[in-house]
Amino acid sequence: MPTARVSSAVMTHPVRRAQAEDMVTRLGLGSLALDPDPDGPPSALRTALVAWSRVAEGATHQFMIQDDVAAPDDMIDLVARCADRFPGEALAFYTNWHARNGGATRLAALAGAGWVRAVPEEFTPTLAISLPVAVAEEFRQYAEASAERHDDEVMCTFLRTGGRRSALLAVPTVTEHTGTSSINGHAAQGIRLAVCPASAEDARPFLYRGWVLEELPWVPYMRYGEGYVRLPGQEHQPQPRHHYTWREALPLTGELTEGQVWDAVRRRRPAAQAVRVAEAFGEPFADEFWIHCLLLGRQAEVAARRHAPAGAQRGGTPGADRLRRAAVSTAGPAGLSPERRPEVTPAYAELLSAYAWTAVTCGESLLEG
């Protein structure tokens, strides 16, 4: 039995109350945190403040989950066991498949890690997140005066203050975002799902005992059909959220050249698959996606060699192999622009995943070169 005592609340709006009440019943959650001004301008933070204040007596940790998230029936037990392992940490149990944190989580999955430290300059994923109760109260007091409406942005700035560290992101994702509607104005982002979807059975060994990737190398990520790189220490730059294309970033890493990348494309990319991807989603995407996955595979190998504990295995068991496949399977849809993601049929998903793996497995040879 875990020693952590987890209190919980579901963030919701009256239009989704029935959905939220079903979550409370099914998952054995504590209470609803209803938007206190449902007719006011959209604000996730307004409702999050209610959720962080709903701490049950005697609790050591507060878990907040949004009403449009699917989760396993034993979610509270899973959260409690993770809180036992990391009692002082902010733990995020969902990470979107796009942007920098999505890239960091996908890289960590390929490296064999169970957790990865979130990049400090990006919003903190808050769809399903736990905090120690003292930290939850500190956040509530910190955020009360904020004019920001996005709780994930305020959480990010909060975790950068007072000597705190950014959240730990669960690499296998047992929660899933449902639907594309958004009370808080995110519907334009289209389909947005977990970066490494996993069953609770596959996830538990990694969450309970898996190693933590604390120091990230430069991180490839994709957005709107183009490949980018998050540079080490980018949070300290004047414009920490600047998106560096991989072409711009490689000279700053001092490790690879654009010429080496294109040489790998010419020599190692499967021509027939490249043609099929180009026919479906355009030649620029076929190029950018393969290069993105090439860099991703290379950097996962770097992370594993530098940071994995001795004896750690990246694959070789059915559960570990499923997690790696899951992380790669989401890379293609996540890399497309939102309006094109619905075009990814099961057949296209299989094509994109197979195409991605040819690039990921090529990454180690790039490292050796």
Side-chain angles (χ1 to χ4, degrees), residues 132-176:
V133 293
V135 178
E137 177 58 20
E138 290 173 15
F139 173 75
R140 191 186 63 78
Q141 294 181 16
Y142 174 89
E144 275 184 330
S146 176
E148 172 64 64
R149 65 189 180 95
H150 300 292
D151 67 315
D152 50 9
E153 294 286 1
V154 183
M155 184 66 74
C156 170
T157 57
F158 168 74
L159 292 176
R160 292 203 307 262
T161 64
R164 301 180 187 89
R165 294 188 295 175
S166 56
L168 283 179
L169 308 178
V171 173
T173 313
V174 298
T175 55
E176 184 60 278

Side-chain angles (χ1 to χ4, degrees), residues 313-325:
Q313 294 186 344
R314 295 165 62 183
T317 66
D321 291 340
R322 279 193 292 268
L323 292 185
R324 284 166 52 83
R325 289 196 299 270

Side-chain angles (χ1 to χ4, degrees), residues 267-285:
R267 290 187 299 108
R268 303 288 297 276
R269 183 170 64 160
Q273 285 183 337
V275 168
R276 291 176 62 197
V277 173
E279 288 174 346
F281 302 107
E283 187 173 345
F285 177 79

